[in-house]
């Protein structure tokens, strides 16, 4: 029953567009009554995206489960993984929907609004974690967007493979790019009570550079002539 | 005339929603004919977002103007600034629209689709610039999303101030966060033909750390006992 409704809905969305298809059209093609439709789906968009409310709830629950000691960027990345896992649980449905969404503008618009809600949820968590930083809100917004973009990159790669590629490997690679960019960065490890004179020296050098050159670089950076 | 049409459209969108308002409703409230409407606006959404086609064209032109030698992250950030400048050219219209968009879901959905097009345009440019990197497409997608998020953060801050804050300062701060994250990073400056043994040593230390500790850190990182 559920599958028949989904198949009918997908066929009509592709043929007429999302807005132009009514629930009556769907139940009529599927040969079932309106009440059957509402037994499975609260609204028309839930035929295509039945799991996002659950996905958002799971993400929120996971984010809230943090102790406040965890690395915030890692925690946000792990929250985004839950969404990809949700897609991966139903590979053929996800792939079919992906092809449909690319062809039906109304569905694409709906999907963008869902993505926005995930991003908003991640940003709210990160804002809380970055509350004591002057650039906290900006940092939270940018990192949330980066996590979502990395997630979507992994998801699209997997969907384009027809659900055949290794989604865990895709998401690992994508999230590693984000966490290596922002986790355990110098600015995140400045100890409590550090002041301006306690800032951090970063030396970047080729491994081939002789040690004396590296030391010279440090001396220039710290602006004094301390010697070993 | 144009202003009367905009005022009528804003009033109706707020009252009835975006989808439920027709062009006939707008011209009737403004007291003008349908032809006048189309003299100013190709379609209903252009009353609210008249400049985004121009904005996208300007962004594309600016991105294409790069010589291929410019820092790609900086160039993408500068392209995003053009959009904020477009908003800042009409502060009261932009602020009024922001308040409307937050209240009318149909407009918000339309805005998300516009944001997605800007992000897509930036990602396409960055993919070209990162074409020779194994992680090029991922890096391009994540950085494009970060640039857009930083832009939107600056834009929202300015809009919430009622168009009163210094938008140039807002966008400078937001873009500095993105460019300082990815421009001139070690991975971007690895010389051509570098091999695995030519990788880079990064030392991070408190400025208060004695020099011998820094040298010890480098020695551990390079895994040998070369001495000054």
């Amino acid at each position: 029953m559920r599958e028949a409704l989904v198949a009918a809905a997908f066929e009509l969305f592709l043929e007429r567009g999302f807005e132009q298809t009514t629930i009556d059209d769907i139940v009529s093609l599927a040969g079932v009554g309106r009440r059957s439709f509402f037994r499975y789906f609260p609204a028309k968009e839930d035929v295509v995206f039945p799991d996002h409310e659950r996905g958002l709830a799971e993400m929120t629950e996971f984010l809230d489960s943090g102790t406040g000691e965890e690395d915030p960027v890692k925690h946000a990345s792990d929250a985004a993984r839950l969404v990809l896992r949700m897609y991966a649980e139903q590979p053929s449905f996800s792939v079919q929907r992906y092809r449909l969404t690319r062809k039906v503008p109304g569905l694409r618009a709906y999907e963008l609004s869902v993505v926005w809600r995930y991003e908003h949820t991640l940003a709210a968590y990160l804002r809380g974690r970055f509350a004591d930083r002057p650039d906290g809100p900006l940092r939270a917004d940018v990192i949330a967007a980066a996590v979502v973009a990395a997630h979507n990159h992994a998801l699209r790669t997997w969907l384009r493979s027809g659900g055949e590629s290794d989604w865990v490997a895709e998401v690992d690679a994508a999230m590693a790019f984000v966490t290596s960019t922002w986790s355990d960065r110098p600015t995140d490890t400045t100890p409590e009570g550090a002041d301006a004179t306690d800032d951090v020296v970063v030396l970047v050098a080729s491994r081939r550079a002789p040690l004396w050159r590296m030391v010279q670089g440090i001396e220039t950076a710290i602006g004094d002539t301390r010697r070993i």
Side-chain angles (χ1 to χ4, degrees), chain A:
Chain A
M1 176 84 82
R2 190 189 160 103
E3 285 68 34
L5 285 163
V6 168
F10 275 35
E11 189 179 327
L12 291 165
F13 292 158
L14 204 52
E15 204 177 289
R16 307 180 186 181
F18 179 67
E19 281 84 6
Q20 288 70 44
T21 300
T22 66
I23 290 175
D24 284 330
D25 296 336
I26 298 169
V27 296
S28 155
L29 182 64
V32 302
R34 269 180 78 86
R35 277 173 54 193
S36 305
F37 183 92
F38 289 109
R39 200 177 308 143
Y40 293 103
F41 307 110
K44 193 172 64 169
E45 49 268 29
D46 296 301
V47 181
V48 195
F49 301 103
D51 301 316
H52 282 307
E53 292 306 326
R54 175 168 71 85
L56 279 157
E58 274 184 22
M59 177 185 273
T60 304
E61 195 186 343
F62 178 82
L63 290 170
D64 290 348
S65 76
T67 60
E69 295 297 315
E70 72 282 359
D71 180 297
V73 181
K74 173 80 168 51
H75 198 59
S77 297
D78 287 344
R81 274 170 192 272
L82 297 175
V83 182
L84 191 38
R85 196 177 63 191
M86 195 174 77
Y87 279 77
E89 278 167 3
Q90 307 177 74
S92 74
F93 178 70
S94 296
V95 170
Q96 201 187 348
R97 171 174 59 195
Y98 173 65
R99 290 173 185 157
L100 184 71
T101 305
R102 286 165 61 93
K103 285 179 195 151
V104 183
L107 289 179
R108 185 172 203 107
Y110 182 79
E111 191 172 52
L112 286 174
S113 74
V114 171
V115 171
W116 183 84
R117 288 175 68 197
Y118 283 115
E119 187 170 323
H120 193 73
T121 303
L122 292 171
Y125 161 76
L126 291 170
R127 280 172 180 245
R129 293 299 312 280
F130 298 148
D132 55 354
R133 303 178 67 112
D135 70 351
L138 169 65
R139 175 174 284 259
D141 285 359
V142 170
I143 295 178
V147 168
V148 167
H151 167 275
N152 288 349
H153 182 92
L155 175 59
R156 268 197 311 275
T157 307
W158 178 75
L159 289 168
R160 284 182 187 152
S161 79
E164 297 289 322
S165 72
D166 179 355
W167 72 270
V168 176
E170 306 290 1
V171 76
D172 279 349
M175 292 308 169
F177 180 69
V178 173
T179 52
S180 72
T181 301
W182 281 297
S183 298
D184 305 312
R185 293 283 296 280
T187 45
D188 289 323
T189 53
T190 308
E192 298 278 322
D195 61 20
T197 63
D198 196 22
D199 54 7
V200 158
V201 175
V202 177
L203 170 79
V204 176
S206 163
R207 182 183 277 269
R208 281 201 211 144
L211 193 53
W212 66 266
R213 255 196 196 290
M214 298 192 189
V215 174
Q216 204 175 54
I218 295 172
E219 284 178 356
T220 308
I222 61 182
D224 72 23
T225 52
R226 282 181 290 167
R227 286 262 160 212
I228 303 178

